[in-house]
Amino acid sequence: MEYPLLLEGYRRDRRKLLEFLLSAGLARSPLGNSIDLAGVDLDTISADYVLELIGSGGEFDPSEATRRYFDGLKYPIMKNSSSGNSFFFLSKPTYGCPPQRAAPHTGGEIAAKSTSNSIRKEEYLVDEDIGLSGNDSSIGVATIPESSQSIKDADTISLGLPALVTGLSDDDMRETAYEVLLASLVLGGEVHFLEEKKKEKKSRFLKGLMSKRDGLISQSQQENCYSDLLDTIRVQMEISETMHACIKQGFRLVGLRMTLEQIDIPFLLLELLSAICETDFPNERLHIQWRRRQANVLEELLMVSVNDDLNMQGTLKMFLSKLRSIKDQGLNVSGGFADILTIVKQYVSKLLRMPGKFGLQGESYFWTGSYHFNLKLYEKLLCSIFDILEDGQIIEEADEILGVLKLTWPILGIIQKIHDTLYAWVLFYQDKSIAFESVATLAVLCGVRFTDECKEIKYIGHMAGTLPESMLVHIFVEKSIQAAYRQAVSLSDSQSHVQLKHPLAILANELKLIAEKEHTLFNPVLRRLYPDSGRLAFILMHLLYGERLKPFLEEFSQLSENVKEVLTASNSLELCLVDKLYALYGNNMESFMINYLHPYQIKKFSGPLILQWIHAQHVSILQWTERAIEIEDWEPLSSQQRQAKSVVEVFRIVEETVDQFFSSNLPMDTIHLRSLLIGISQSLEVYVLHIVNQQVPKTTLFPSSPALTRYAESVNPFTRKKIYQPTTPEEKISIQLNNLTVRKLCVKLNTLYYVRDQLDNIEDAIKQSWALSLSGFTLLDCMSHTTNGQNVAAVYKSLSAQSESVDELFTVFDDVRRSAILASEKIFDFIGPRVIFWDVRESFLFSLYRGSVESARLEMFLPVIDQVLDCICDLIIDTLRDKVVLSICQAAMDGYIWVLLDGGPCRVFSERDVTLMQEDLAVLKDLFIANGQGLPCDTVEKEARLAQQILNLYTLKADTIIEMLMSASENVSCHPEPKTCTRCATDAETLLRVLCHKKDKSASNFLKLQYQLPKSSDYGDLDVKEPTSPVLSDILKRSTSFTWTQMGQRSFRMMRNKFQALE
C-alpha cells in the first residue's frame, strides 16, 4: 500500500474513533445533552483534548478542541522507534525531549545534487517541512529505510507527473475532484435540486391522474439512479454530507449563469467562491479551510502560466494571498473580496481565449497547461470504484460510476486513450498481478518482431526454445533478474555498515524477497507465455549468488559470527530457491538440476565447523554443570518448584545449546545430532553421578547390637554393672550424614525426577526440530545427489531410511534415565533408615519399651515420627510421596523388630506385655495407613508381617520356642554377629533372641546351660550420648509453632483417640 493511501486509512480510522468517543455518551455538551457532530470537523479535533475531557468529565467545546489541535501542530513530531532508526535534526533543539541519537552528517550532499533521482533518494532523509537548503528553522524527523523496504520502494513505478508546488494534500485533491464531478452532473442537467424535485413530483402526481404515469416513472427512475449513484460516489470518496450540501447549493447559483461548455476548473472555482458565502457552512472554520483550498488550487493552476512574467507572478501571489486572508467577502472597498475575484477572472478569461496547443475539438488552455493536475484529479475519481473497506475489491456499481465519470472529460481534457491509460494505472496499484499480465502480453505482442535485434542470451541459453515469444520472455526474465540482482548487491554493500552484517548475508536475504515476489507475482503470468520462466529465474539467481559466494567459502577457517551469518543466509537462500523449483516442477527437477544447478555445498564447509562448535559447547556445559553442583545447597527452588536450583540452570544451558544448534539453519548430518546428544547425556550423567557419590551405605546408620543376655532379677543392687554404649560412625561418615538430611534427600529425589521429566521434553523438542530441519535439508541433499548423477527416487528412499534411524541415537538418553532411576532407588533405600535409625533413634530405638513396656509405650514417641512424615510430605512431590513414605514404613518396621530382638538387656517381655506390644504395632500400622489417605492397607500389612510373627513367638511357651530352636539348629554361636539382611521368624538366630528377651525362668536356665549367656542384671541401662540429628532437633525446636498439614492433623487425632480408648 502506498504511503498516501496508508495515511488516508489512518485519518479515516481517527475520525471513526473520535466519532465513537463523542457520540457514546462519554462526554457531554454544555447543555447537558448528547453532542451534535453535524457541524464538527473531526479532522481538526484534538484527540488529547477529547481523552482529557472523558477522564475529567468536562463539557465539550468545539472551538477549544480545534484550538488545541492547531496549537499541537506548532510542536515537533517526536518519534520513539523500537528499531532505533529514527533521529531528530539539530536545527532547533530548544523544546521537547532531547534526541535519542545524534543526527547523521549530511554535509552538502543534498544541496549539491540536483537530479531528480538524487532528490528522490534524499526524500527519505529530509522531512517535508525542511527545505533542501537546510536553512529552515523548523524541526523534522528523518528515518533510515529498512533494507527490506528499500527493495519494495525501489520497485514502485511513478507516472512521472510534475509534483504539486502548493502542497495540496490527498484530501484536497479528492474533494476538488468531487467538486468537478458534481459540477459536470449538476450543470449537465443530470442531477436536480431538492426544490425542483418537489415541484416535479407534484406535477408528476397530477399528470399521473391524467394517465401519463408510464413515461414519468421511467424518467423518475433515471433521476433517482443518478442521485443514488452520486451518493455512492460521495461515500467512496469520503465526502461529508455537509460539504456535499454546500457545494451543491453553490452550483445551484452558478448553474443559472453558465453552461457545461463554458466550464474550466479555474473559472468553476472562482464562480463557487463568489456564490458560496460563510453562512452556507455550519461554522466559520470549515469555510476558511474550504476557501484556502480553493486559493491553493488556483495558485497551482495559474502560476504555471506566468513563470516567465515575474510582475504578473508577484501580482497573482498577492491577490491569492489576500483571497486566503479576507474574512468578509461582502466588502466593496478597493482590494476587497469581489474586486480580487474580478481581477483573477479577467486573467483566467484571457487564458481561456488562447488557442489550443494541439487543435483538438473543445481543447482549452488548461487541458495542456495544467494537465498534471487534471490527471491526478481524474485518478482520484477512478479510485472511487474500489471498496474503501476492502483493499483491491471493485464495487458492484463500478460500470455505472465509470459511465458517470465520462461527464468530467470536457472539463479535465480527458480522451479515451488517456482514460484507458489512467484506468490501467489504477488497476495496477490495486491488483498488480492483473496489470502485470496485461503489460507482459502487450510487451510480447509488440516485441516479437524485434527478437532478432535483441542482445544474445548470456545465461542458460538452451532453455530459451525456438519460438520468438519464448526467446523474448527468456530475455526479459534474464535481464530483469540481473537488474534486480545488481540493485540487491548495491543495497547490501551500503547496508552492511548500518546493520553491522556481512554483505553476503544481506544479499542472500534480499534475493529471498526477490524470489518470493517472482514466485507469487510474476511467474504465474510469465509461465503462460514461457513455461520455463520460473526455472530460469530461480536458477539464474542461484548462479549469480554462487559466483559471489565461492571466494568467501574458500577463505574462512573458523565458525565466527560473520561466517555463521553468511552460511546460514546462503543455505536459507538455496533452500528457498530449491523449494520454489520443487513446488513448480516436482520430481521433474532432475533433468535441469544436472545441467544447470551447481550446489553451494554448504554442508561440506560447515560440517567440520559445526562439530568444533558442538565440542566447545560440550566443554562449556560440563563446566557449568560442575560449577552448579559445587555451589548447590540442595534447597528447594520454591514451594511450587521443589527441585534444586542447579538442575534448572543445567537444563537452561542445555536448551540454549539446542536452540542455537537448530537456529543456525545450517545443513547437518546425523553425526552432528549424535555429537549433540552425547554431550547432553554426558553432562547429565556427571550431575547424577555427583548425587550418587554423596551417598553413604545405609549400614552405617544401624547401631551395633548389645550383648546377648538371659533374663535374671538383680539380687545385689550395689553390684557394679556393665554399660552398653552403641558404636558411632567415623568422623568422615558423620560429616557426610550431616549433609544427607531428610530435607536435602527429598530435594535430591525431586531433582532426579525433574531430570527424567525434562529429558523427555528435551528429546521431544529435538526430534521435532530435527524433523523440521530434515524436511528442508532433504531437498538440498536431493539436489546434491542428483547433480552427481543419482536418481531422485533412490535419493529420497535413502534419506527416508536415514531419518528413521535417528531414533536409535536417542538411546543415549536411556542411560541417563537408568542412572537417575538407580540413584533415586538408592536414596529411597536410604531415606527410611535415615529417619528411623538416625534421626529418631533416641526417641524410638533407644527409648521404646526401655525398662518396661508399660512405662515406654509407642504413643509417647509417635508424634515425633508423625511430624517427620508431615515435613516430608510438604517437601516431596506428589509422584514420589508414597515411595518415600513406604521407605520410612519399612524402616519403622525394621526398627520395631530391632527393639524386639536387639533391644539389649534392658528390654524383657512377658506374656502380658505382648498384648500391649500388639496394640502398639496396630497403632504404628494405622499411622502409615492414615485412615485411607496414606499407604494401601495391604502394603502396610505386608511390611508388618515379620514383626507380627515375632510378637506371636513371644506368646508361646518357652519350651515350645526351645524345641523350635533345637530343631532349627543344632549348633548356634553363643555370640552371633548382627545381621542386616531380611530376617525370618523361624530361623535359629531369631528364636535365640526371642528367648534372650523373654521374661521366663525356663528360658533363662536353657540359655545358661546351652549358651552360657550372662545375666541381664549384670548390665546397666543404655548409655546413649549421641547428639540428636540436625533434622530432628530442628523439628523439635519448631514443634511449638509447627504448621500441621490437614492429613497430619487427622492422623494424629485418630491416634490420640485410640490411645485414650486403650487407656
Side-chain angles (χ1 to χ4, degrees):
M1 181 179 291
E2 288 187 85
Y3 294 119
L5 297 178
L6 191 62
L7 179 61
E8 291 306 311
Y10 290 157
R11 287 176 176 171
R12 181 172 62 251
D13 294 342
R14 182 182 184 275
R15 287 194 294 267
K16 291 180 179 179
L17 286 173
L18 287 175
E19 182 179 2
F20 170 76
L21 292 174
L22 294 175
S23 61
L26 301 176
R28 55 190 177 87
S29 65
L31 300 179
N33 53 3
S34 60
I35 301 175
D36 184 13
L37 300 178
V40 177
D41 184 9
L42 296 177
D43 285 335
T44 58
I45 294 296
S46 171
D48 292 335
Y49 171 80
V50 173
L51 295 177
E52 293 173 3
L53 185 68
I54 294 173
S56 61
E59 298 177 351
F60 177 71
D61 185 1
S63 59
E64 177 63 18
T66 303
R67 185 191 65 79
R68 287 279 300 273
Y69 172 79
F70 286 105
D71 288 346
L73 298 179
K74 301 176 182 178
Y75 297 96
I77 299 175
M78 309 298 288
K79 184 177 181 183
N80 189 7
S81 175
S82 59
S83 62
N85 60 355
S86 301
F87 53 84
F88 294 90
F89 288 105
L90 301 177
S91 55
K92 190 177 180 182
T94 58
Y95 52 85
C97 299
Q100 294 183 351
R101 54 185 283 195
H105 176 71
T106 58
E109 296 178 3
I110 298 178
K113 296 180 180 181
S114 58
T115 63
S116 59
N117 290 334
S118 301
I119 294 177
R120 289 194 187 99
K121 292 180 181 178
E122 296 298 335
E123 284 176 355
Y124 288 114
L125 300 177
V126 184
D127 190 86
E128 61 183 359
D129 294 335
I130 304 296
L132 292 180
S133 63
N135 296 326
D136 200 312
S137 61
S138 60
I139 296 179
V141 181
T143 303
I144 299 175
E146 300 289 344
S147 60
S148 61
Q149 185 67 28
S150 302
I151 289 291
K152 180 179 179 181
D153 293 342
D155 292 338
T156 301
I157 307 173
S158 173
L159 279 174
L161 297 175
L164 301 178
V165 297
T166 55
L168 288 169
S169 67
D170 196 67
D171 289 339
D172 294 336
M173 296 298 293
R174 189 175 61 253
E175 291 173 0
T176 303
Y178 184 76
E179 291 176 354
V180 173
L181 174 64
L182 196 60
S184 63
L185 288 172
V186 173
L187 300 180
E190 302 295 343
V191 177
H192 298 276
F193 299 102
L194 184 62
E195 297 81 355
E196 297 172 354
K197 281 190 175 183
K198 290 181 179 179
K199 295 178 181 179
E200 290 173 359
K201 286 181 180 180
K202 184 176 180 180
S203 62
R204 291 193 194 102
F205 177 72
L206 295 175
K207 293 179 181 180
L209 296 178
M210 302 171 62
S211 301
K212 296 183 180 180
R213 179 176 301 174
D214 295 338
L216 295 175
I217 288 178
S218 61
Q219 183 180 357
S220 176
Q221 288 177 349
Q222 183 179 3
E223 293 176 355
N224 290 334
C225 177
Y226 274 113
S227 179
D228 295 340
L229 194 59
L230 181 61
D231 188 64
T232 300
I233 297 174
R234 179 186 64 79
V235 173
Q236 287 290 107
M237 299 186 70
E238 301 182 55
I239 305 298
S240 65
E241 294 184 3
T242 302
M243 183 60 67
H244 171 79
C246 292
I247 301 304
K248 193 173 181 181
Q249 176 65 19
F251 283 136
R252 184 183 69 83
L253 300 176
V254 172
L256 298 177
R257 55 179 181 266
M258 63 185 302
T259 61
L260 185 63
E261 288 75 11
Q262 299 174 335
I263 298 178
D264 275 294
I265 295 179
F267 195 77
L268 176 65
L269 299 184
L270 291 171
E271 291 293 337
L272 282 178
L273 284 171
S274 62
I276 299 177
C277 59
E278 183 178 340
T279 57
D280 295 327
F281 287 85
N283 55 60
E284 179 185 1
R285 176 181 49 79
L286 288 178
H287 178 248
I288 293 175
Q289 290 179 350
W290 175 80
R291 196 168 64 190
R292 287 178 177 175
R293 173 170 62 83
Q294 307 293 33
N296 290 335
V297 173
L298 288 173
E299 181 177 351
E300 185 73 42
L301 297 174
L302 299 180
M303 294 304 292
V304 179
S305 62
V306 294
N307 285 334
D308 299 332
D309 191 345
L310 297 180
N311 293 330
M312 190 61 189
Q313 187 178 28
T315 303
L316 275 178
K317 281 190 174 182
M318 179 187 66
F319 285 144
L320 293 176
S321 176
K322 288 184 178 182
L323 192 63
R324 296 185 184 97
S325 60
I326 294 178
K327 294 184 179 181
D328 189 356
Q329 62 189 56
L331 293 176
N332 292 322
V333 297
S334 175
F337 188 83
D339 295 338
I340 293 175
L341 291 181
T342 302
I343 295 174
V344 176
K345 282 182 181 180
Q346 292 176 355
Y347 181 72
V348 171
S349 299
K350 177 183 177 182
L351 295 177
L352 290 175
R353 289 193 296 270
M354 295 177 62
K357 187 175 182 180
F358 298 101
L360 300 175
Q361 182 179 358
E363 178 185 359
S364 68
Y365 169 81
F366 293 104
W367 278 23
T368 55
S370 59
Y371 78 96
H372 64 292
F373 186 82
N374 296 349
L375 295 182
K376 290 183 178 181
L377 289 182
Y378 194 67
E379 181 184 356
K380 297 302 177 185
L381 293 173
L382 289 173
C383 289
S384 63
I385 67 172
F386 296 99
D387 197 332
I388 60 174
L389 300 180
E390 298 183 20
D391 292 338
Q393 297 297 320
I394 299 177
I395 62 177
E396 297 179 357
E397 301 88 347
D399 293 336
E400 291 82 354
I401 292 177
L402 291 176
V404 172
L405 297 186
K406 287 186 177 182
L407 298 176
T408 64
W409 288 11
I411 302 177
L412 300 175
I414 303 297
I415 59 177
Q416 186 66 45
K417 291 184 178 180
I418 296 178
H419 165 79
D420 294 341
T421 303
L422 290 178
Y423 188 45
W425 178 254
V426 172
L427 288 175
F428 177 80
Y429 271 101
Q430 296 295 330
D431 192 342
K432 292 185 178 181
S433 62
I434 297 177
F436 176 72
E437 181 176 4
S438 302
V439 173
T441 304
L442 180 63
V444 170
L445 293 176
C446 297
V448 167
R449 73 177 79 177
F450 304 109
T451 303
D452 297 335
E453 302 176 10
C454 296
K455 295 182 179 178
E456 63 177 355
I457 298 173
K458 183 178 181 181
Y459 296 97
I460 319 177
H462 298 290
M463 199 181 293
T466 58
L467 295 177
E469 296 87 349
S470 300
M471 294 185 64
L472 186 63
V473 176
H474 186 104
I475 295 173
F476 287 166
V477 173
E478 186 176 289
K479 297 302 180 183
S480 62
I481 293 298
Q482 292 182 55
Y485 174 77
R486 288 192 297 269
Q487 187 177 13
V489 169
S490 176
L491 179 66
S492 64
D493 292 337
S494 62
Q495 289 295 316
S496 176
H497 301 290
V498 178
Q499 299 184 19
L500 302 179
K501 291 184 178 180
H502 197 281
L504 283 175
I506 301 176
L507 177 60
N509 294 330
E510 296 296 336
L511 289 179
K512 283 181 63 177
L513 297 177
I514 296 174
E516 189 65 33
K517 181 178 290 187
E518 180 72 25
H519 180 70
T520 57
L521 181 60
F522 301 121
N523 183 65
V525 176
L526 291 175
R527 69 182 303 178
R528 301 173 191 170
L529 305 171
Y530 179 43
D532 289 330
S533 61
R535 184 181 303 178
L536 170 64
F538 299 133
I539 292 179
L540 184 55
M541 275 188 265
H542 185 273
L543 176 62
L544 292 173
Y545 185 79
E547 292 176 352
R548 198 174 183 88
L549 177 66
K550 184 177 180 181
F552 176 84
L553 295 177
E554 296 174 351
E555 293 177 358
F556 70 86
S557 59
Q558 59 181 358
L559 194 62
S560 63
E561 193 62 32
N562 279 339
V563 171
K564 184 178 178 182
E565 285 181 356
V566 173
L567 293 179
T568 300
S570 303
N571 182 70
S572 179
L573 172 63
E574 188 170 39
L575 175 61
C576 174
L577 295 177
V578 176
D579 190 32
K580 296 291 186 290
L581 288 170
Y582 188 80
L584 290 175
Y585 303 102
N587 293 329
N588 295 326
M589 290 193 303
E590 181 179 356
S591 59
F592 60 88
M593 273 185 176
I594 299 175
N595 296 328
Y596 301 114
L597 280 180
H598 303 285
Y600 299 153
Q601 299 290 349
I602 300 296
K603 181 185 293 187
K604 172 184 174 182
F605 295 95
S606 64
L609 299 181
I610 294 176
L611 287 177
Q612 294 178 10
W613 177 84
I614 293 175
H615 177 72
Q617 292 301 112
H618 289 176
V619 176
S620 177
I621 295 175
L622 195 59
Q623 291 176 350
W624 272 97
T625 302
E626 294 174 350
R627 178 179 178 274
I629 295 175
E630 290 174 358
I631 63 176
E632 180 57 66
D633 55 1
W634 300 111
E635 288 294 323
L637 190 62
S638 66
S639 59
Q640 288 77 29
Q641 297 178 322
R642 304 175 190 177
Q643 69 274 7
K645 298 183 289 292
S646 58
V647 73
V648 177
E649 180 67 16
V650 169
F651 273 100
R652 183 188 64 82
I653 299 170
V654 170
E655 290 174 356
E656 288 181 356
T657 303
V658 172
D659 291 341
Q660 293 175 11
F661 179 77
F662 287 106
S663 63
S664 64
N665 290 327
L666 293 174
M668 291 173 287
D669 204 347
T670 53
I671 189 174
H672 301 121
L673 180 61
R674 181 175 179 273
S675 179
L676 176 69
L677 298 180
I678 290 176
I680 295 173
S681 62
Q682 288 178 349
S683 300
L684 297 178
E685 285 274 13
V686 169
Y687 188 89
V688 174
L689 183 62
H690 180 81
I691 296 178
V692 174
N693 292 337
Q694 290 180 337
Q695 294 299 120
V696 297
K698 70 176 182 179
T699 55
T700 59
L701 300 170
F702 300 135
S704 59
S705 300
L708 292 177
T709 60
R710 57 185 175 86
Y711 167 72
E713 296 287 346
S714 176
V715 178
N716 185 2
F718 300 102
T719 303
R720 185 174 182 179
K721 299 181 179 182
K722 299 177 182 179
I723 303 300
Y724 163 68
Q725 184 174 0
T727 59
T728 59
E730 298 178 0
E731 182 179 358
K732 180 180 179 181
I733 301 298
S734 298
I735 294 175
Q736 287 181 297
L737 286 174
N738 291 333
N739 292 327
L740 293 174
T741 62
V742 174
R743 182 179 181 87
K744 294 181 184 296
L745 291 173
C746 289
V747 174
K748 288 183 179 180
L749 287 172
N750 296 338
T751 302
L752 290 171
Y753 185 83
Y754 182 83
V755 168
R756 292 157 54 193
D757 185 62
Q758 286 298 112
L759 194 59
D760 293 340
N761 297 334
I762 289 289
E763 180 176 345
D764 293 340
I766 292 176
K767 286 182 177 179
Q768 292 178 4
S769 300
W770 181 258
L772 293 175
S773 61
L774 192 63
S775 64
F777 297 145
T778 298
L779 291 175
L780 293 180
D781 291 337
C782 177
M783 185 179 69
S784 300
H785 286 77
T786 51
T787 50
N788 294 328
Q790 297 185 20
N791 183 269
V792 174
V795 172
Y796 269 99
K797 185 176 180 180
S798 62
L799 291 173
S800 177
Q802 180 182 0
S803 63
E804 293 177 357
S805 64
V806 169
D807 293 338
E808 299 178 359
L809 300 179
F810 289 91
T811 55
V812 296
F813 284 171
D814 294 338
D815 297 334
V816 180
R817 295 186 180 96
R818 283 191 291 267
S819 299
I821 292 174
L822 292 175
S824 299
E825 293 297 333
K826 192 170 185 178
I827 296 177
F828 284 134
D829 194 42
F830 180 83
I831 192 171
R834 163 75 201 207
V835 173
I836 300 300
F837 289 92
W838 189 262
D839 292 339
V840 297
R841 66 192 304 179
E842 288 187 41
S843 59
F844 186 68
L845 296 181
F846 299 153
S847 301
L848 182 64
Y849 304 152
R850 187 174 172 178
S852 66
V853 173
E854 274 189 77
S855 62
R857 293 285 299 277
L858 183 63
E859 62 181 348
M860 299 174 58
F861 318 111
L862 211 57
V864 177
I865 301 178
D866 193 52
Q867 289 181 11
V868 174
L869 289 175
D870 284 341
C871 179
I872 289 174
C873 290
D874 289 338
L875 285 171
I876 202 72
I877 61 177
D878 295 340
T879 308
L880 305 177
R881 183 190 61 186
D882 287 350
K883 297 194 69 173
V884 174
V885 175
L886 177 60
S887 176
I888 298 174
C889 176
Q890 293 171 343
M893 296 305 170
D894 292 340
Y896 191 74
I897 294 172
W898 188 91
V899 172
L900 297 180
L901 300 180
D902 296 311
C906 62
R907 291 183 174 94
V908 290
F909 311 116
S910 63
E911 293 182 4
R912 181 177 174 274
D913 293 334
V914 173
T915 303
L916 301 178
M917 294 161 62
Q918 288 179 338
E919 293 175 355
D920 287 349
L921 180 60
V923 171
L924 185 61
K925 290 190 293 184
D926 290 341
L927 173 68
F928 291 100
I929 295 174
N931 200 19
Q933 298 183 8
L935 296 175
C937 182
D938 295 341
T939 302
V940 177
E941 289 292 343
K942 178 182 177 181
E943 299 299 332
R945 184 178 299 129
L946 180 59
Q948 184 64 52
Q949 292 173 354
I950 295 174
L951 287 177
N952 292 338
L953 290 175
Y954 279 105
T955 62
L956 301 176
K957 296 295 183 180
D959 295 339
T960 304
I961 300 175
I962 291 172
E963 291 178 0
M964 294 172 63
L965 175 60
M966 296 300 291
S967 64
S969 177
E970 294 291 336
N971 186 17
V972 178
S973 174
C974 296
H975 302 282
E977 295 297 327
K979 299 176 69 175
T980 57
C981 60
T982 304
R983 295 178 184 268
C984 178
T986 58
D987 63 10
E989 184 178 351
T990 301
L991 295 172
L992 176 62
R993 292 179 182 277
V994 170
L995 290 174
C996 290
H997 291 279
K998 189 171 180 61
K999 193 175 184 179
D1000 188 274
K1001 289 185 178 181
S1002 60
S1004 179
N1005 293 332
F1006 172 79
L1007 294 174
K1008 178 181 180 181
L1009 293 175
Q1010 297 295 329
Y1011 297 98
Q1012 294 81 39
L1013 295 179
K1015 296 184 293 185
S1016 60
S1017 59
D1018 293 342
Y1019 288 83
D1021 205 352
L1022 292 173
D1023 184 16
V1024 182
K1025 298 181 180 179
E1026 295 181 61
T1028 306
S1029 170
V1031 168
L1032 183 60
S1033 62
D1034 181 61
I1035 292 176
L1036 295 176
K1037 287 179 183 178
R1038 293 181 293 150
S1039 60
T1040 57
S1041 61
F1042 194 86
T1043 303
W1044 289 56
T1045 63
Q1046 187 175 2
M1047 185 184 71
Q1049 292 176 355
R1050 284 198 299 268
S1051 61
F1052 184 69
R1053 285 197 300 269
M1054 178 190 67
M1055 290 183 293
R1056 184 176 60 188
N1057 295 335
K1058 195 162 193 175
F1059 293 154
Q1060 293 175 353
L1062 292 174
E1063 293 176 354

